Amino acid sequence: MYLYEGRGLLLLTLLAALQIATEGRGTLPLCRPGFSEDVYVAVVPESAEKGQPLFNVKFVNCGRGGLVRFECSNPSDFRIEADGVVYALRPLTLSTLPTVPVVIVASDETNQQQWQTQVRLTWPPTLSQGLQEIWFPSRQTDSSSIGQLKRMKRDWVIPPINVPENSRGEFPQDLVRIRSDNDKNRSLRYSVTGPGADQPPTGIFIIHPISGELSVMKPLDREHISNFHLRAHAVDLNGNQVESPIDIVINVIDMNDNRPEFIHQIWNGSVPEGSKPGTFVMTVTSVDKDDPKTANGMLRYKIGSQNPESPTSNMFTINNKTGDIITVAAGLDREKVPQYTLIIQATDMEGNPMYGLSNTATAVIRVTDINDNPPEFTAEMFFGEVPENRVNVIVANLTVTDKDQPNTLAWKAVYKITGGDPTGRFSVPTDPTTNEGLVTVVKPIDYEISRTYMLTVVAVNEVSLARGIYSPRQSTATVSIRVIDVNESPYFDPNPKLIKLDEGMLAESTLTTFTAQDPDRFMQQSIRYTRLSDPANWLRIDANTGRITTIAVLDRESPYVKDNMYSATFLASDNGVPPASGTGTLQISLLDINDNAPHVYPQETEMCKKPEPNGINITALDGDLNPNAGPFAFELANRPSDVRRNWTITRLSGDYAQLSLKIGFLESGIYEIPIIITDSGNLPMSNTSYLRVKVCQCDHNGDCTDQQHIIAAGLGTGAIIAILLCIIILLILVLLFVVWMKRRDKERQAKQLLIDPEDDVRDNILKYDEEGGGEEDQDYDLSQLQQPDTIEPDTIKPVGIRRMDERPLHPEPQYPIRSAAPHPGDIGDFINEGLKAADNDPTAPPYDSLLVFDYEGSGSTAGSLSSLNSSSSGGDQDYDYLNDWGPRFRKLADMYGGSDD
């Protein structure tokens, strides 16, 4: 490789790597076409003009004679000629040079073969005076290992390179020079690798390949990357490593380029009121991105201002290193100053105001409430009044003031009655909204016992007062309550009143006196009594004295007596304004007497003709209680005489006896056997009861089977009456239905006959075309078409009621009345009868039909049909114009307008 210099241009001429000349023969060894180097390093000027040659590449053609065409990977920056010289296509500087190698491709147009090489661009070295040099460690050779590989021994550690961040100098800025002692006898190329060089972020550090000067290309930012670890390499021109790589550490020196930043712009804290000096409040924190090990990142805090400055301007202080805010003075009172606002300043450079950078934040300190203000009544005396016997009534509202924070435990009041209410008739709950005390009556108050109450009420908070705070005199108040007298209801005493009596007490007997008392002692009132409830209507009470007498006999066996107890209610009313009344209950316990005779039970029974056994067990029922009931005595009556002859009765116990036959057979039938039963009362009562015995034929199971039994066991009288009533009701419903159907048929017939002829449905004639005649020909009276025998005289149109298009009124001729013959069964007979009637009627029209349907009015332009004269052929008239009227009249034209044929 040789360097040529001329005209300010350094051209790098590349020759073949190896050229061997032979002696005597003048021939060359085997040649391979292509570029002389795989990688070229070209030194270009620091600035190049457009069209200025920069470098050239050598292509070995080996005498092929073919045309080789060159192409460049940067066609917008460089142009390469056929001789391999590369020119600049635009002005180039060090900052605009490509950072990646330039690729050049050679193509043979004859056989389409291609060759490729790379060119790395660099600039001429400028040796800096006084630049620190870093030498690769020298290699020491062991004498015993001549001819073998050499081992390198490191004699020193390369110190790190310090580069200040945010440098404003010109770039590239030289840092150090990398040197090797092997560059004295041969050319070397230097390079660096690592983050910041050939690894992201790339382009920060570069090294001159020839001089070995390591330079930084842009300002560094310590907060982004604080240090770089690079590795330097030295190779020869063939790329062979001549030195072992060395590590280079570049530390970015911190500069004070970042202000302190508070974590929050507004800090919130709180401190109880009345706190002592030195009470911790809160901590504010600020951060600085600069190196905290240097003064650039060492912060100091201070309080810039305090608002409000009450009671002093220095209520708080701050630890300049930690940011802790504490109280420094006493006198915090929430009721006077509820909140303080502090401006906190943080400065780096250890708080140096001249060189340090500062920033501020706001600290809001809320003074929290403590119970340092007791509630105080707004008045010393409160008044109220309440009617007697009223409960859950608010008598008075007690108002207090509390300077503590509203709706807190230190503000909410609790009221306690400390005097004037020994019986606990009042309470003072707190209104949760207004904080007032509501004096409420919880037990009835009696005007006759106490007319006024003087209550002593104390107001406290839900939490205790702070230490050193005591309740003033204003926390106690007096409540005067006046009781209003009202008319109270009379009351019976005792209520209910219980008396015991024997049943059977006769009417007009005095039972007791049931009186009421009036609690209104200070009112002169009278009481009157009335009966309110007396289910059996047995009692009467005197309106003035309250004396109760009987109006009927008291019967313990009455259905109104429950468990021998009869209850009646009475009303006592006074004459107050308004009147008041009270009720009392009289309970009468009726003692039993023997006033009910016993009777046999059951009253009916069955027995077989040949009973086996032939006994029937019976007992007795008595409405009285023991000892006025059982045991009972049973015996057969003397009459009829056959009773004792056929039957016998045997006592089984005090309440049961057995009836049996004396004979072995008895005819089927129903037998009523009189039995005399006597109870065991003090005055015994006897009664003759009839036992109904049904004697019947029995099967082997002892059940009746004959018809007489069935008849005897038939339906009772009540069931038969119910069945008869159902049948009668059913017949009445059927009769009503038949009457309704007949009435409906009559209404339907009458409705048909009353239909106006003009509204008759048979008048709705469907007309498909109208060829003349007008509306006058559309009015028909179809009533004449109805059957003669169905026409009633009431439906005949009265005289004088006519249509507007009828003849002028004139006296109606009196026609002879035709006989109303019955409707004939044959239509032929009907026509013949009509014909005879018409023939015998001299007033009948001679030329028209038998029946006159309607008068069609006057003024018709058609005239009378009878006046038309028809000719035999009609040849004297021209009917051809009918052809112009359409297909409907074409047939008529043919009939009358044609020839005689």
Side-chain angles (χ1 to χ4, degrees):
M1 182 183 299
Y2 301 91
L3 293 177
Y4 296 90
E5 182 175 358
R7 295 172 140 190
L9 172 65
L10 292 177
L11 297 177
L12 179 62
T13 305
L14 302 177
L15 302 178
L18 181 61
Q19 183 176 3
I20 303 176
T22 59
E23 295 182 357
R25 293 185 295 178
T27 61
L28 295 175
L30 181 62
C31 180
R32 291 183 179 180
F35 290 98
S36 60
E37 297 287 345
D38 292 333
V39 178
Y40 295 92
V41 178
V43 180
V44 299
E46 295 182 358
S47 62
E49 301 295 335
K50 180 179 180 181
Q52 179 179 348
L54 300 178
F55 57 90
N56 67 338
V57 294
K58 179 67 175 178
F59 185 79
V60 180
N61 197 9
C62 296
R64 293 166 53 90
L67 181 60
V68 177
R69 182 169 57 85
F70 297 98
E71 294 180 354
C72 180
S73 62
N74 297 62
S76 61
D77 297 331
F78 307 102
R79 174 174 56 84
I80 185 170
E81 297 294 339
D83 55 357
V85 179
V86 178
Y87 297 89
L89 291 180
R90 62 181 179 86
L92 298 176
T93 59
L94 292 178
S95 61
T96 58
L97 283 177
T99 58
V100 297
V102 179
V103 179
I104 297 177
V105 179
S107 302
D108 190 346
E109 296 183 354
T110 58
N111 56 8
Q112 303 300 324
Q113 189 175 2
Q114 292 184 348
W115 299 267
Q116 180 177 312
T117 186
Q118 294 182 0
V119 181
R120 294 181 179 179
L121 304 180
T122 183
W123 60 92
T126 56
L127 300 180
S128 301
Q129 300 294 330
L131 191 62
Q132 179 185 359
E133 294 183 350
I134 297 178
W135 292 81
F136 282 91
S138 60
R139 297 174 182 267
Q140 296 181 356
T141 303
D142 190 355
S143 60
S144 62
S145 60
I146 299 175
Q148 299 180 358
L149 294 176
K150 298 179 180 180
R151 292 182 301 171
M152 181 187 69
K153 181 184 293 183
R154 304 260 180 159
D155 295 334
W156 63 86
V157 177
I158 300 175
I161 303 172
N162 296 326
V163 180
E165 66 171 336
N166 303 324
S167 176
R168 299 182 180 180
E170 296 182 357
F171 294 97
Q173 182 178 354
D174 298 334
L175 301 179
V176 295
R177 180 183 296 116
I178 308 299
R179 296 294 302 275
S180 174
D181 53 2
N182 292 321
D183 62 354
K184 297 179 180 179
N185 52 10
R186 53 179 172 172
S187 297
L188 301 180
R189 295 295 181 264
Y190 300 98
S191 63
V192 290
T193 58
D198 60 344
Q199 298 178 16
T202 60
I204 297 179
F205 301 98
I206 62 172
I207 189 172
H208 195 280
I210 298 176
S211 64
E213 292 182 359
L214 180 64
S215 304
V216 60
M217 300 299 295
K218 61 179 66 175
L220 303 180
D221 187 359
R222 191 205 65 85
E223 288 71 36
H224 181 57
I225 300 176
S226 60
N227 54 66
F228 297 88
H229 294 268
L230 304 178
R231 175 163 288 191
H233 306 270
V235 298
D236 59 13
L237 297 181
N238 294 326
N240 298 320
Q241 180 177 332
V242 297
E243 297 287 356
S244 297
I246 60 174
D247 294 329
I248 301 176
V249 178
I250 301 176
N251 291 330
V252 183
I253 305 302
D254 183 44
M255 305 295 291
N256 190 18
D257 58 342
N258 291 280
R259 290 181 178 274
E261 296 290 341
F262 283 92
I263 297 178
H264 304 290
Q265 193 59 33
I266 297 178
W267 297 79
N268 294 300
S270 62
V271 60
E273 62 176 333
S275 297
K276 296 180 180 180
T279 303
F280 173 80
V281 179
M282 60 190 300
T283 300
V284 296
T285 304
S286 179
V287 295
D288 196 319
K289 296 180 180 179
D290 292 328
D291 190 356
K293 298 179 181 179
T294 64
N296 299 331
M298 295 182 180
L299 306 181
R300 296 295 182 267
Y301 301 93
K302 71 174 182 179
I303 297 177
S305 63
Q306 170 189 311
N307 184 33
E309 297 179 352
S310 175
T312 63
S313 60
N314 296 319
M315 294 296 296
F316 305 93
T317 185
I318 188 171
N319 188 309
N320 63 347
K321 293 183 179 180
T322 63
D324 294 340
I325 299 177
I326 60 176
T327 59
V328 71
L332 291 175
D333 190 351
R334 189 203 65 84
E335 289 72 32
K336 295 180 179 179
V337 180
Q339 180 175 291
Y340 290 91
T341 301
L342 307 180
I343 302 300
I344 309 300
Q345 179 179 330
T347 307
D348 57 15
M349 298 299 292
E350 298 181 298
N352 191 321
M354 184 177 297
Y355 304 104
L357 301 177
S358 301
N359 210 338
T360 60
T362 302
V364 179
I365 300 175
R366 182 173 55 89
V367 181
T368 59
D369 187 37
I370 63 172
N371 194 13
D372 58 344
N373 293 282
E376 298 180 2
F377 285 99
T378 58
E380 295 182 358
M381 179 74 73
F382 293 89
F383 300 92
E385 60 183 18
V386 59
E388 64 175 333
N389 299 322
R390 295 282 299 275
V391 294
N392 297 326
V393 177
I394 298 177
V395 179
N397 290 18
L398 310 182
T399 56
V400 295
T401 59
D402 196 319
K403 298 179 181 179
D404 291 323
Q405 185 174 358
N407 301 316
T408 61
L409 298 179
W411 176 81
K412 295 181 179 179
V414 178
Y415 300 89
K416 299 179 181 179
I417 299 176
T418 59
D421 185 23
T423 58
R425 299 184 180 275
F426 299 91
S427 68
V428 188
T430 304
D431 189 323
T433 303
T434 62
N435 207 30
E436 294 180 351
L438 308 178
V439 181
T440 307
V441 180
V442 294
K443 293 182 180 180
I445 300 175
D446 192 353
Y447 174 83
E448 284 70 27
I449 297 178
S450 178
R451 301 184 182 183
T452 59
Y453 287 88
M454 299 294 292
L455 306 180
T456 301
V457 181
V458 176
V460 296
N461 292 120
E462 292 188 5
V463 294
S464 302
L465 291 173
R467 182 179 298 179
I469 306 297
Y470 301 97
S471 297
R473 183 177 58 83
Q474 291 79 5
S475 296
T476 303
T478 302
V479 182
S480 176
I481 301 175
R482 184 174 65 89
V483 182
I484 302 175
D485 189 18
V486 297
N487 185 22
E488 300 177 78
S489 301
Y491 64 93
F492 290 88
D493 189 24
N495 189 16
K497 183 177 183 180
L498 177 64
I499 60 175
K500 294 182 179 181
L501 299 173
D502 291 334
E503 66 171 331
M505 183 172 289
L506 301 178
E508 302 300 331
S509 300
T510 300
L511 301 184
T512 184
T513 301
F514 196 24
T515 58
Q517 300 179 10
D518 192 348
D520 297 316
R521 295 178 298 170
F522 302 100
M523 297 182 182
Q524 301 299 327
Q525 299 178 151
S526 61
I527 299 177
R528 295 185 61 83
Y529 303 94
T530 57
R531 185 180 60 178
L532 188 63
S533 173
D534 184 12
N537 197 22
W538 286 346
L539 307 177
R540 179 176 58 230
I541 188 170
D542 186 272
N544 297 320
T545 63
R547 184 179 61 182
I548 297 176
T549 58
T550 61
I551 58 177
V553 178
L554 305 183
D555 186 6
R556 190 196 64 82
E557 290 75 28
S558 171
Y560 299 104
V561 178
K562 306 297 181 182
D563 298 330
N564 303 327
M565 190 72 67
Y566 180 77
S567 298
T569 305
F570 300 92
L571 181 69
S573 303
D574 60 18
N575 58 350
V577 179
S581 60
T583 60
T585 301
L586 178 65
Q587 293 181 342
I588 304 175
S589 177
L590 295 176
L591 303 178
D592 185 40
I593 63 174
N594 193 14
D595 57 346
N596 292 278
H599 58 274
V600 67
Y601 182 83
Q603 296 180 356
E604 294 183 1
T605 184
E606 295 179 352
M607 178 179 289
C608 298
K609 290 182 178 181
K610 296 181 179 181
E612 293 181 4
N614 59 355
I616 301 174
N617 294 334
I618 60 174
T619 185
L621 296 180
D622 195 328
D624 296 324
L625 301 176
N626 290 326
N628 296 321
F632 301 100
F634 300 90
E635 63 177 336
L636 295 174
N638 294 326
R639 294 182 180 277
S641 60
D642 58 345
V643 172
R644 289 180 175 268
R645 184 172 61 250
N646 297 334
W647 304 87
T648 181
I649 189 168
T650 305
R651 182 175 181 179
L652 299 179
S653 64
D655 295 333
Y656 292 92
Q658 188 179 64
L659 179 68
S660 58
L661 283 173
K662 287 184 176 180
I663 59 179
F665 175 80
L666 191 64
E667 293 291 338
S668 299
I670 299 176
Y671 300 87
E672 292 187 354
I673 302 172
I675 301 175
I676 300 175
I677 305 175
T678 305
D679 59 20
S680 300
N682 188 14
L683 296 176
M685 295 190 67
S686 299
N687 181 32
T688 300
S689 298
Y690 288 87
L691 177 63
R692 188 176 183 182
V693 180
K694 300 176 183 179
V695 180
C696 58
Q697 182 67 34
C698 298
D699 55 11
H700 63 281
N701 294 324
D703 298 328
C704 291
T705 57
D706 56 357
Q707 186 66 26
Q708 292 182 357
H709 170 72
I710 297 176
I711 295 175
L715 295 175
T717 305
I720 295 174
I721 293 175
I723 294 174
L724 292 177
L725 288 177
C726 292
I727 294 174
I728 292 173
I729 292 173
L730 181 61
L731 292 176
I732 292 174
L733 292 177
V734 172
L735 181 61
L736 291 176
F737 180 74
V738 172
V739 173
W740 178 75
M741 290 296 295
K742 289 185 177 181
R743 184 175 180 181
R744 182 181 178 186
D745 292 340
K746 287 184 179 181
E747 291 178 355
R748 185 182 302 168
Q749 293 178 2
K751 186 181 296 184
Q752 290 180 353
L753 295 177
L754 291 175
I755 295 177
D756 194 289
E758 298 180 0
D759 297 334
D760 200 318
V761 69
R762 288 167 291 183
D763 192 28
N764 296 335
I765 302 174
L766 300 177
K767 296 175 291 182
Y768 295 94
D769 197 1
E770 179 63 41
E771 299 178 358
E775 296 181 355
E776 296 179 354
D777 295 338
Q778 299 179 14
D779 193 5
Y780 308 102
D781 184 7
L782 299 181
S783 62
Q784 300 295 335
L785 297 179
Q786 299 177 359
Q787 296 180 3
D789 59 345
T790 61
I791 300 177
E792 298 181 2
D794 295 338
T795 63
I796 299 176
K797 199 173 188 179
V799 178
I801 300 177
R802 296 178 177 272
R803 296 206 327 261
M804 295 178 62
D805 56 352
E806 291 185 356
R807 298 186 183 94
L809 296 177
H810 56 80
E812 295 287 340
Q814 300 296 326
Y815 301 108
I817 301 176
R818 301 177 184 178
S819 61
H823 189 281
D826 190 359
I827 191 64
D829 297 338
F830 173 73
I831 294 176
N832 291 330
E833 291 294 334
L835 181 59
K836 291 179 183 181
D839 292 341
N840 296 328
D841 188 2
T843 61
Y847 304 109
D848 294 330
S849 62
L850 296 177
L851 298 177
V852 178
F853 295 99
D854 198 3
Y855 173 64
E856 299 182 358
S858 62
S860 175
T861 58
S864 177
L865 295 176
S866 61
S867 63
L868 296 177
N869 296 322
S870 301
S871 61
S872 60
S873 62
D876 56 345
Q877 297 187 25
D878 185 8
Y879 295 98
D880 294 337
Y881 65 90
L882 295 177
N883 292 323
D884 300 334
W885 289 9
R888 296 185 179 181
F889 296 90
R890 201 166 289 164
K891 183 65 177 177
L892 187 61
D894 294 341
M895 293 174 60
Y896 287 91
S899 60
D900 295 338
D901 296 336

